[in-house]
Amino acid sequence: MSAVLCRGKREVSCLSPTQQPILMLRTAHDNLVALRKLGCHHRHRSFLRIHEESTMYRPFSFATAAVALLVAATPAAAAYPERPITLVVPFGAGGITDLVARATGKALSEQLKQSVVIDNRPGAGGNIAAEVVKRAKPDGYTLLFATVGVLAVNPHTNSQVRFDSAKDFSYISSVASTPHVIAVGANVQAKTLGELVKLAQQKPESVSFSTAGVGSSPYQGMRILQDTANVKFLHVPFKSGAESVSNVVSGQVDMTFEGSPQVMPFATSGKLRALAVANPKRLPTAPDLPSTAELGYPNLISGSVSGVVGPAGMDESIIKQLNAAINKAVSDPEFKSTLAAQGTEVAASTPDGFRKLIESEDKRWSALLKGAK
C-alpha cells in the first residue's frame, strides 16, 4: 500500500509500509492527528494546513474498504453462450426431425457465434431424449429439438413416460412444420389412397407400414387414417424416418407415412408411389399430388411440427436470447430455401406461443387416442 493521503498532487509518503495501512481506516481528521504523532507534520506543514482549514472530510470505514475489495475481486458475469451448446435430437440421423434440427443448429451457431453439437438419442419414441434434457442443468447448454409427437402425443400412448410436458421444460420457440406423405412400395397393388384402404380392409394387418416409432408424428397420422377408414395396418417401427422409408423402397415394408423430404425424392425416381399428402392443400413442390382433404379425409392432417425446448427453470434472459436467435435464423432466405427444398415451412414463435401449441395438441391427441396406453 503506497500513497496514504492525497490532495491534488500532494501526498504523504513519509510513513513506513507497516504504518501506512493505519491511515486507510480512519477519517481525514484522524489521519492528520496520526500524522502529527508519527512526526510527519514538520515535513508537510502546508499539507496539514490545507486539511486543517478544510471543514469537509470523507470517512473511509471498514465497510467501504470491504465493498471496494469485493467489487475488485468479483469477476464479470460470463456472456452466454461461452461454450458449445448441445442440441439433443429424439430420433436417428437422416429423418426429417434430424434434418431440420441440423439446419437449425447450423443457423443458431451462426447467430450465437458458438458451436452447436447435434446429439441423436433415438429410442422409446423420443422419450429417452426428452428425459435426458429434463434432467439436464437448466443453464441453456443442453436443449431438445422436440416434436409435437414427443411432447403432446407420447404421454397418451405410453404409460412409462417420465416427463410432464407442462412442467418439465422451458419452451423457447417452434421452428418448422413438415407435412407427411402417404406412399407405398412400387410392388404394392394400390395406385390411389382409396385402393390402399380397400386392400387393407380385405384382411386386417395384411398391409404393413413403417414409421420412426410410436412417438413419431407419422405414427399418429396412421392412427387417424386407421380410425377414419376403419382399417387395421401392421406397424413396423424403426429408429428414424430415413430407415422407415428405405425399408419400403427395398420392399421389406409395404407403405410409409413420412415427411415429404424423405418420400418425394424416391417418388420422383419411381422407387415409391406417393398417394397423398396429409395436408389441407397440395404442396407447391408436388402440385400433382392430391391432398387428403380433397380425397375425402378432412381430418387426416398430419405433419412434423418441431421446436426447441430446454429443462425447466432456465433463466428468462437466456430463453429470450435463444428465441431471438431462432426467429432471426428462420427469417433468413437461405434457411427458408433449405427447408422449402425439403417440403418444410418455417414456423417460428414466441416461447409462450410454442407452449400453447403443445397444450392445444395435447388436448387434441388426448381425445383422439383415449385409452391407447
Side-chain angles (χ1 to χ4, degrees):
M1 193 176 295
S2 55
V4 180
L5 291 173
C6 300
R7 188 171 183 83
K9 294 182 179 180
R10 303 182 181 186
E11 64 180 39
V12 176
S13 57
C14 66
L15 306 181
S16 68
T18 56
Q19 294 171 325
Q20 288 175 11
I22 298 173
L23 303 186
M24 294 295 291
L25 305 175
R26 304 181 180 204
T27 65
H29 180 267
D30 290 339
N31 286 340
L32 293 174
V33 175
L35 282 170
R36 285 197 181 95
K37 290 181 179 180
L38 291 169
C40 295
H41 63 282
H42 65 284
R43 295 175 58 190
H44 297 278
R45 289 178 181 174
S46 59
F47 176 85
L48 297 176
R49 189 178 301 113
I50 290 172
H51 284 277
E52 286 173 332
E53 292 173 356
S54 173
T55 58
M56 296 182 66
Y57 299 102
R58 182 173 297 174
F60 193 94
S61 64
F62 279 108
T64 305
V67 170
L69 289 172
L70 283 173
V71 171
T74 303
Y80 173 85
E82 63 173 345
R83 64 177 189 272
I85 297 170
T86 297
L87 186 58
V88 181
V89 181
F91 303 107
I96 183 58
T97 303
D98 176 71
L99 293 175
V100 178
R102 289 178 187 277
T104 303
K106 180 176 180 293
L108 265 181
S109 178
E110 294 171 353
Q111 291 294 326
L112 299 173
K113 310 302 180 186
Q114 184 59 264
S115 299
V116 176
V117 180
I118 301 298
D119 181 10
N120 294 91
R121 295 289 188 97
N127 294 342
I128 291 176
E131 290 173 19
V132 166
V133 175
K134 169 193 169 181
R135 295 192 300 268
K137 186 177 180 180
D139 55 8
Y141 289 99
T142 304
L143 307 173
L144 174 68
F145 196 78
T147 65
V148 167
V150 174
L151 297 180
V153 181
N154 282 8
H156 305 293
T157 60
N158 189 337
S159 59
Q160 301 303 312
V161 168
R162 297 187 183 88
F163 60 83
D164 185 327
S165 299
K167 299 178 181 178
D168 293 333
F169 301 104
S170 295
Y171 286 78
I172 297 169
S173 178
S174 58
V175 174
S177 176
T178 307
H180 296 144
V181 172
I182 302 171
V184 296
N187 60 336
V188 175
Q189 301 301 309
K191 294 186 176 170
T192 67
L193 180 57
E195 291 180 3
L196 177 66
V197 170
K198 287 181 180 179
L199 187 64
Q201 286 175 337
Q202 293 175 7
K203 184 180 179 181
E205 298 190 335
S206 61
V207 178
S208 59
F209 74 97
S210 60
T211 73
V214 174
S216 65
S217 298
Y219 173 81
Q220 314 312 332
M222 282 299 298
R223 283 292 301 265
I224 296 176
L225 175 59
Q226 292 180 105
D227 292 343
T228 303
N230 194 28
V231 293
K232 183 70 174 177
F233 293 93
L234 176 64
H235 182 219
V236 182
F238 292 93
K239 289 184 177 180
S240 70
E243 287 184 58
S244 167
V245 173
S246 65
N247 275 274
V248 177
V249 172
S250 65
Q252 300 300 310
V253 184
D254 296 320
M255 66 172 288
T256 188
F257 196 136
E258 271 298 339
S260 53
Q262 283 81 36
V263 174
M264 294 314 294
F266 290 109
T268 302
S269 66
K271 294 180 180 179
L272 290 179
R273 186 181 304 117
L275 304 182
V277 57
N279 211 42
K281 57 184 180 180
R282 299 190 180 200
L283 296 176
T285 53
D288 296 329
L289 184 65
S291 69
T292 50
E294 68 183 87
L295 293 177
Y297 296 92
N299 293 326
L300 184 51
I301 307 300
S302 180
S304 296
V305 178
S306 54
V308 179
V309 302
M314 282 179 58
D315 189 279
E316 284 298 323
S317 64
I318 293 179
I319 292 176
K320 289 180 180 179
Q321 185 177 349
L322 287 169
N323 178 267
I326 291 173
N327 275 266
K328 189 173 181 180
V330 301
S331 64
D332 181 72
E334 183 179 349
F335 185 84
K336 286 183 176 180
S337 62
T338 298
L339 266 61
Q342 302 174 21
T344 299
E345 297 180 347
V346 298
S349 70
T350 62
D352 191 53
F354 189 28
R355 175 184 292 278
K356 288 181 178 178
L357 170 66
I358 296 301
E359 290 176 351
S360 174
E361 288 295 305
D362 180 81
K363 291 177 182 177
R364 184 168 81 94
W365 287 104
S366 174
L368 287 170
L369 303 173
K370 203 167 184 179
K373 289 185 181 181

